[in-house]
Structure formats: C-alpha cells, structure tokens
Amino acid sequence: GFIHTSPLDLNQDTLQAILDIAQRLQVQNVRNMCQAFLKFAIVEQCSSMICNSKQSAKLRLLNFIVFILVTN
C-alpha cells in the first residue's frame, strides 16, 4: 500500500474527516494527533470558561478537565 506523507491540514473543519479516514485505515499516529488536537481544543475552550465563571464552578470544571485528560 501507499500512504501519503505530506503534512496534514488539521483544523476544526478537517478534523472529523481526517479522524474517520485514520480510523478506517488504522493509522494510529494520525489518530493520536487528532486526539491531541481535540484535547487541546477542549482545554482552550474550558480555560476561557473558567476565566468567566464563579470560583466553585471553576474548581469543578478544572477537576473535570484533569479527569478527562488523565483517563484518555
């Protein structure tokens, strides 16, 4: 088989299609890259939510983020 080796344009618009193809072709490195991209996006989104929320909600959200990152 042949695998294309040029850089992937991974962003929010292409993520789902690239992840679907990587899963179908069982390309673990690309799947890992997509998962890392998703984790980064979650942290970015949650960090902006933490800055705008109350203190107790911030702590619960931070605990949730840590749980997700550790278990995945």
Side-chain angles (χ1 to χ4, degrees):
F2 174 76
I3 299 272
H4 189 67
T5 59
S6 68
L8 291 173
D9 183 20
L10 185 60
N11 58 55
Q12 290 179 350
D13 295 329
T14 62
L15 177 67
Q16 188 63 52
I18 291 173
L19 184 56
D20 289 344
I21 292 167
Q23 288 175 332
R24 256 186 249 134
L25 298 177
Q26 299 180 3
V27 182
Q28 190 61 44
N29 289 345
V30 175
R31 290 170 58 186
N32 292 344
M33 187 174 65
C34 290
Q35 289 172 347
F37 181 89
L38 282 171
K39 286 179 183 180
F40 178 77
I42 290 169
V43 169
E44 285 291 306
Q45 185 175 11
C46 290
S47 66
S48 67
M49 290 170 56
I50 288 172
C51 291
N52 298 322
S53 62
K54 294 183 179 176
Q55 189 63 33
S56 61
K58 288 180 187 180
L59 185 56
R60 285 194 307 271
L61 187 56
L62 185 57
N63 286 334
F64 175 73
I65 293 169
V66 170
F67 172 78
I68 294 296
L69 293 176
V70 168
T71 58
N72 287 315

